[in-house]
Amino acid sequence: MAVNIYDTANQLEQELRQTKEFKELKVAYETMKTSDSAFSLFKDFQEIQMQLSQKQMNGEELTDEEVQKAHELADKVGNVDEIKSLMGKERNLNQLMNDLNQIITKPVQDLYQN
């Protein structure tokens, strides 16, 4: 019997949506979106993170100004309760996904231990 790992992955995706961690993140995101100022700040923060990440992946150096702007925005984001809550829920979901990744990659880890 052949295993279709994509079916398993699709099932995992559906089950992930039912976890407490995902549901809490979804509620926190919807709550944050109700505040125009928090949502706008969050979107700005995401955009700057994406731009800086892209530059780093391209091997480009970040300017002091870019780093400073990112730090200032991160400080602002860290002072908004709705965003702090969202980030806490993101951490919880990320921990779950890291745990799942360890389980999924266990065969490769085991292979290389021998």
Side-chain angles (χ1 to χ4, degrees), residues 49 53 77 108:
Q49 283 183 315
S53 179
V77 163
V108 176

Side-chain angles (χ1 to χ4, degrees), residues 22-86:
F22 180 82
K23 288 178 179 179
E24 288 177 351
L25 176 63
K26 186 175 180 180
V27 168
Y29 183 70
E30 293 301 325
T31 299
M32 191 249 332
K33 282 176 52 178
T34 64
S35 167
D36 290 340
S37 61
F39 188 60
S40 177
L41 185 59
F42 177 74
K43 286 299 188 185
D44 290 346
F45 185 64
Q46 279 186 315
E47 181 65 28
I48 215 106
Q49 283 183 315
M50 201 177 335
Q51 289 172 359
L52 296 181
S53 179
Q54 187 65 42
K55 280 187 80 169
Q56 287 178 318
M57 287 190 319
N58 291 337
E60 298 175 40
E61 290 288 324
L62 301 180
T63 66
D64 289 341
E65 183 180 318
E66 289 171 324
V67 172
Q68 180 66 29
K69 183 177 178 182
H71 283 294
E72 288 171 3
L73 199 50
D75 287 343
K76 287 181 186 177
V77 163
N79 291 322
V80 178
D81 289 339
E82 295 91 346
I83 299 175
K84 284 194 303 191
S85 175
L86 177 72

Side-chain angles (χ1 to χ4, degrees), residues 8-20 22:
T8 304
N10 286 318
Q11 180 65 33
L12 181 59
E13 181 258 339
Q14 290 300 314
E15 290 178 15
L16 181 64
R17 291 176 186 275
Q18 301 306 314
T19 64
K20 174 184 75 115
F22 180 82

